Amino acid sequence: MTFLPSRSFSELIVNENLLISNSTFGTVKSGAFLIHNPNRFEVTDSNFDILEGEAFRVTTRGDVLFKDVHFNSSYSSVFLGISVNLAETSIRKTITFNTPVFESFDKDALRINTTSFDLRLVNVCIKMSCDCNSMNSVFMDIEQPEELYCLEQESYINYVEFRSRSCILFASNATIIIAVGVALILIVIMGGVLWCFFKKAYRCDKYGGADKKKKLSMIVPDGRTYRETELHVIVERTDLLTTDL
């Protein structure tokens, strides 16, 4: 397994195609490939253990191809250093990733120089478990998501198919779920208010609140004010008094 420090291939000028094939690399440091002006740049059937950011600083006159390449650990912006020699051509070129395998992946793993290139993906396999939250955060800014594949029970499955089957269902019902939740909360609050109201009314009736209010009420006949009173007559039975004469 080859270790490539920075400037391993420094300031090389290639007039024809540059091809890296059937090779295995350990750690490839930033700027390990500093190569100018190949007509085409291809990496095929190769393995990279660790690729640091901008490991490839290649200025090409044509298209770029990564085919059947295994990337174990890739830093962000690995491919950002690849550009087009605009002095030689004004036509936009294409960077193609055809059936690569990424052991680890972040949202900048496929970041390229969009001033010079268009990105083309074909069957990009990513050894990450399919998951709605993590996949959305990683893949949301990547074009052609239909070409991305993640792992489900140790088998690769198309990311778009997985998302439509497992993730979109929740997303489409999210508004309904939120509305039902808010309605339940309002019902609970209203139930609590009504319970307190009826409990207070029951206590007032129990302790004669209504009777007391009635006894203190005022009546106004003929313009004059009287306090309402109640007369209680108590009849007592007693035996007849007798006197001895």
Side-chain angles (χ1 to χ4, degrees):
M1 187 175 291
T2 306
F3 170 78
L4 294 183
S6 297
R7 307 182 72 87
S8 295
F9 301 92
S10 179
E11 305 300 333
L12 297 181
I13 297 176
V14 178
N15 294 320
E16 298 298 330
N17 295 338
L18 172 61
L19 174 62
I20 301 173
S21 183
N22 298 309
S23 302
T24 300
F25 298 92
T27 299
V28 181
K29 305 293 286 185
S30 297
F33 294 91
L34 294 174
I35 300 176
H36 300 283
N37 224 37
N39 188 50
R40 181 179 175 87
F41 176 39
E42 294 185 6
V43 182
T44 62
D45 301 301
S46 297
N47 295 276
F48 293 88
D49 186 29
I50 299 175
L51 274 175
E52 293 190 355
E54 297 191 25
F56 302 100
R57 294 182 184 175
V58 179
T59 305
T60 178
R61 290 174 288 161
D63 295 330
V64 177
L65 172 65
F66 290 88
K67 184 177 180 181
D68 297 324
V69 181
H70 186 278
F71 301 98
N72 185 44
S73 179
S74 301
Y75 286 48
S76 299
S77 306
V78 169
F79 310 104
L80 189 60
I82 304 174
S83 61
V84 172
N85 185 348
L86 297 178
E88 295 285 339
T89 178
S90 59
I91 300 175
R92 289 181 62 83
K93 304 301 179 182
T94 302
I95 292 184
T96 301
F97 292 89
N98 191 334
T99 325
V101 176
F102 289 87
E103 291 284 344
S104 61
F105 195 85
D106 63 41
K107 62 182 180 180
D108 292 326
L110 293 175
R111 186 181 178 190
I112 64 170
N113 185 340
T114 55
T115 302
S116 302
F117 293 102
D118 295 318
L119 178 64
R120 179 171 176 261
L121 303 180
V122 180
N123 297 332
V124 178
C125 297
I126 300 166
K127 284 193 173 181
M128 294 175 60
S129 297
C130 297
D131 175 81
C132 295
N133 294 328
S134 62
M135 294 293 99
N136 286 338
S137 63
V138 172
F139 295 161
M140 63 183 301
D141 295 327
I142 297 178
E143 298 179 3
Q144 307 164 56
E146 66 278 2
E147 295 295 337
L148 302 176
Y149 290 79
C150 54
L151 284 174
E152 185 178 48
Q153 297 180 352
E154 299 184 356
S155 298
Y156 284 108
I157 181 174
N158 185 271
Y159 164 66
V160 173
E161 292 179 6
F162 170 80
R163 184 180 62 181
S164 62
R165 183 190 68 198
S166 304
C167 305
I168 301 300
L169 179 63
F170 174 80
S172 61
N173 294 328
T175 302
I176 297 176
I177 293 173
I178 293 172
V180 171
V182 172
L184 289 175
I185 292 173
L186 291 176
I187 290 173
V188 171
I189 294 174
M190 291 177 64
V193 172
L194 291 174
W195 180 80
C196 292
F197 173 78
F198 285 116
K199 183 178 180 181
K200 184 177 181 180
Y202 171 76
R203 292 181 64 184
C204 289
D205 291 340
K206 181 177 180 181
Y207 292 103
D211 292 337
K212 292 179 180 179
K213 184 177 180 181
K214 182 177 179 181
K215 292 177 182 179
L216 296 176
S217 61
M218 305 296 292
I219 58 175
V220 187
D222 301 328
R224 289 177 293 179
T225 301
Y226 296 88
R227 183 179 299 275
E228 183 180 6
T229 60
E230 292 183 357
L231 178 63
H232 296 270
V233 178
I234 301 174
V235 179
E236 296 184 356
R237 294 185 59 187
T238 61
D239 294 332
L240 296 175
L241 298 174
T242 60
T243 58
D244 295 333
L245 296 176

